[in-house]
Amino acid sequence: MTWRLTGSVEEYAAAVGEFLGSDPERHTISLTVVANALAGAPPPAEPALYGWWTGADGRVASAVSHTPPYSLLLAGVPADAAAALALAVQATGRRLHGVNGSPAAAAAFASAWQERTGTSLRVAHEMRLHRLRELVLPDPPPPGGGRLASESDLPLLVDWMTAFASEAGVDAALDQRAGARDRLDYGGLSLWVSADVPVAMAGRSRAAGGVVRIGPVYTPPAFRRRGFGAAITAASTQSALDTGAAGVVLFTDLANPTSNAVYRRLGYHPVDDRVEIAFTAA
């Protein structure tokens, strides 16, 4: 039972495709990492690292990826393989700002990483994955309607994505302009417009394993509590279904009960929990 690490996304995709594709909803982020890299999306801030763990039967049973400035991403990593993974990653000389995975796997890796590096740990985010069962449109809907964002919206999109990242505590090193341009290329950003004024935004990922993930969803403070966020989420979800997505998912912050309730009303139901544990130098 061993970990194999590589800098080649092509090698990684060939090795883990069957494993990730066996549960594309739970592995939505890992599949999106592959889809974005293969589609030529903006590269990470530093070279990416990919890896997989082979079980006693010779089959791939876990996958990991690190695309800075994001945390190390775990997919299906058992707690008893986390210490070996920490050793393998440390041997590459890689710097990590955190780990993202199931609560048990993330905690096991973080503990092993702390033991080897002396870093301090804190829980940065607790998230819940939701799967769409059947879309329930807001009734009545708020004034206005949804539309795909275009190049002319880029300055607004960059401002809103930056604001979302700040509020959500996402790494400030992200290049929001490059990310917005990439999403525009495949129709991955939508706006709700009321009285000719954009009032809310929703993004969606590239389809990966037949699954599309909704997010980020952002409503500026001046337009909140009017139903615009729910409306653009529903519109973006419908857009994903119209493009042939076999499944639509989204993540919520467990610290935000309001958004969790909104998405339940739209037809999303809980599937799995994840946690992100941040590392800081002691």
Side-chain angles (χ1 to χ4, degrees), residues 148 186-190 204-208 210-214 235-248:
L148 284 178
Y186 66 86
L189 286 169
S190 298
R204 60 182 176 88
S205 69
R206 288 181 169 87
V211 173
V212 169
R213 187 175 64 262
I214 303 300
S236 189
T237 299
Q238 186 62 62
S239 176
L241 295 171
D242 291 343
T243 60
V248 186

Side-chain angles (χ1 to χ4, degrees), residues 205-229:
S205 69
R206 288 181 169 87
V211 173
V212 169
R213 187 175 64 262
I214 303 300
V217 177
Y218 179 74
T219 305
F223 300 118
R224 291 176 185 173
R225 295 181 175 83
R226 305 186 197 181
F228 295 134

Side-chain angles (χ1 to χ4, degrees), residues 150-162 177 180 184:
S150 66
E151 183 71 21
S152 64
D153 299 308
L154 184 60
L156 176 70
L157 297 170
V158 172
D159 285 347
W160 284 7
M161 290 175 72
T162 301
R177 179 171 292 274
L184 288 174

Side-chain angles (χ1 to χ4, degrees), residues 110-122:
S111 177
W113 191 257
Q114 181 183 46
E115 182 178 339
R116 294 188 171 281
T117 64
T119 56
S120 298
L121 310 177
R122 67 175 178 86

Side-chain angles (χ1 to χ4, degrees), residues 32-185:
T32 301
V33 167
V34 174
N36 286 345
L38 295 179
E46 300 172 20
L49 180 70
Y50 308 99
W52 58 94
W53 183 70
T54 304
D57 61 358
R59 297 172 64 88
V60 172
S62 305
V64 299
S65 59
H66 184 223
T67 52
Y70 292 107
S71 295
L72 182 73
L73 181 64
L74 310 181
V77 175
D80 60 4
L85 175 60
L87 177 62
V89 173
Q90 186 190 26
T92 70
R94 181 154 291 248
R95 297 177 301 161
L96 296 180
H97 298 298
V99 61
N100 180 330
S102 70
F109 180 90
S111 177
W113 191 257
Q114 181 183 46
E115 182 178 339
R116 294 188 171 281
T117 64
T119 56
S120 298
L121 310 177
R122 67 175 178 86
V123 174
H125 298 100
E126 292 178 294
M127 300 155 284
R128 178 159 292 161
L129 175 66
H130 296 256
R131 172 196 297 128
L132 180 72
R133 289 186 183 171
E134 183 176 358
L135 180 61
V136 180
L137 298 175
D139 185 19
R147 66 166 174 83
L148 284 178
S150 66
E151 183 71 21
S152 64
D153 299 308
L154 184 60
L156 176 70
L157 297 170
V158 172
D159 285 347
W160 284 7
M161 290 175 72
T162 301
F164 172 85
S166 177
E167 289 188 20
V170 178
D171 197 304
L174 293 171
D175 186 342
Q176 302 296 350
R177 179 171 292 274
R181 284 190 179 279
D182 179 56
R183 287 180 181 266
L184 288 174
D185 285 346

